[in-house]
Amino acid sequence: ERRKTLLRSTLAVEQDRPAEERNLPREETLKTQLREAEAKEESLQQRLQAEFPQYVRLSAPGALSMDELARLLRPHEALVTLIPTAQSVWVLFVKGREVELRRARLGVRELDQRVRALRAALEAADGGPRPFDAGASAQLYADLLGPFASQLTGVKHLIAVPFGPLLSLPLGLLPTRPPSAVAGEDYRHVPWLAREMAISVLPSGASLRQSASPSTT
């Protein structure tokens, strides 16, 4: 797939040159290499399907209908999908047959900076832990999941499908409300989301078909 993408972009650059600068033999070579890469990818996909069908169903499942999703979600379960874009994070929340889509006005660049700052606190510095900014973490919860606070009431298992920078941040580290002052490194009274519900991470909502009992974190 990477080779196919590289060949396509290289060919596009060549074809975008002024007519007097275009190298037609090179373009034909690139087209041939692209066709070969596409054929090889298709062959490998067929091999994956034949030898590892469960992996293929998990990594590239078809879309779920609302009826199927409602059947797969157990009582007290909810599904949240978080999709960052250049200007916003789209948050899709599903609980039972209730579906709601909200837009958090938080672009992927700012989201990446905030996630990196929180992640940095999880890494030891000079042989010791760094202080974790629970207030900043709570603000991220408010921006992304705060609008669904009422729907999250009674949820015991949250199934998350994060994308982009959110893949590297455990949602359980988000406090559900601004914490009181943290004394030193005593975080025992911080209202972490992980204290309120189990949290699982899946590559897609459709992966629920193969994850009737996803492992929790």
Side-chain angles (χ1 to χ4, degrees), residues 154-171:
V155 171
K156 296 180 180 179
H157 182 201
L158 180 65
I159 301 169
V161 183
F163 291 92
L166 292 169
L167 282 166
S168 65
L169 183 69
L171 293 184

Side-chain angles (χ1 to χ4, degrees), residues 78-89:
L79 173 74
V80 61
T81 301
L82 304 111
I83 306 174
T85 64
Q87 303 296 329
S88 312
V89 179

Side-chain angles (χ1 to χ4, degrees), residues 46-125:
Q46 292 173 354
R47 181 180 171 189
L48 275 175
Q49 180 65 58
E51 298 183 21
F52 307 100
Q54 291 183 334
Y55 169 77
V56 173
R57 287 196 296 269
L58 181 63
S59 61
L64 283 174
S65 68
M66 188 60 241
D67 288 341
E68 186 178 5
L69 182 55
R71 290 196 304 271
L72 290 171
L73 285 176
R74 301 174 181 138
H76 308 299
E77 281 188 334
L79 173 74
V80 61
T81 301
L82 304 111
I83 306 174
T85 64
Q87 303 296 329
S88 312
V89 179
W90 291 96
V91 185
L92 176 67
F93 184 88
V94 182
K95 180 181 178 184
R97 292 188 173 276
E98 178 184 2
V99 181
E100 187 171 352
L101 179 66
R102 287 182 177 266
R103 176 187 180 191
R105 296 188 179 277
L106 176 64
V108 67
R109 182 173 298 180
E110 181 184 351
L111 176 65
D112 183 61
Q113 292 172 348
R114 291 167 65 173
V115 168
R116 285 178 182 271
L118 293 174
R119 286 284 307 178
L122 305 179
E123 301 173 0

Side-chain angles (χ1 to χ4, degrees), residues 23-40:
N23 185 333
L24 297 182
R26 173 168 168 73
E27 289 182 22
E28 289 303 317
T29 298
L30 288 169
K31 289 177 182 178
T32 299
Q33 293 174 343
L34 178 58
R35 287 193 294 268
E36 291 172 350
E38 290 172 338
K40 184 174 182 180

Side-chain angles (χ1 to χ4, degrees), residues 115-208:
V115 168
R116 285 178 182 271
L118 293 174
R119 286 284 307 178
L122 305 179
E123 301 173 0
D126 300 324
R130 301 178 182 181
F132 184 80
D133 193 340
S137 187
Q139 183 58 54
L140 188 57
Y141 174 90
D143 292 338
L144 299 177
L145 298 179
F148 305 98
S150 60
Q151 294 97 316
L152 284 168
T153 301
V155 171
K156 296 180 180 179
H157 182 201
L158 180 65
I159 301 169
V161 183
F163 291 92
L166 292 169
L167 282 166
S168 65
L169 183 69
L171 293 184
L173 283 175
L174 303 181
T176 58
R177 59 186 181 279
S180 54
V182 176
E185 297 173 2
D186 186 355
Y187 300 98
R188 290 176 295 176
H189 301 295
V190 175
W192 307 110
L193 179 62
R195 285 183 169 174
E196 299 187 7
M197 61 191 67
I199 302 171
S200 299
V201 177
L202 291 179
S204 70
S207 300
L208 280 170

Side-chain angles (χ1 to χ4, degrees), residues 1-8 37 40-41 44-45:
E1 287 179 346
R2 287 196 297 268
R3 177 166 173 74
K4 183 179 69 174
T5 300
L6 177 61
L7 287 167
R8 279 179 174 169
K40 184 174 182 180
E41 180 193 23
L44 290 172
Q45 289 287 2

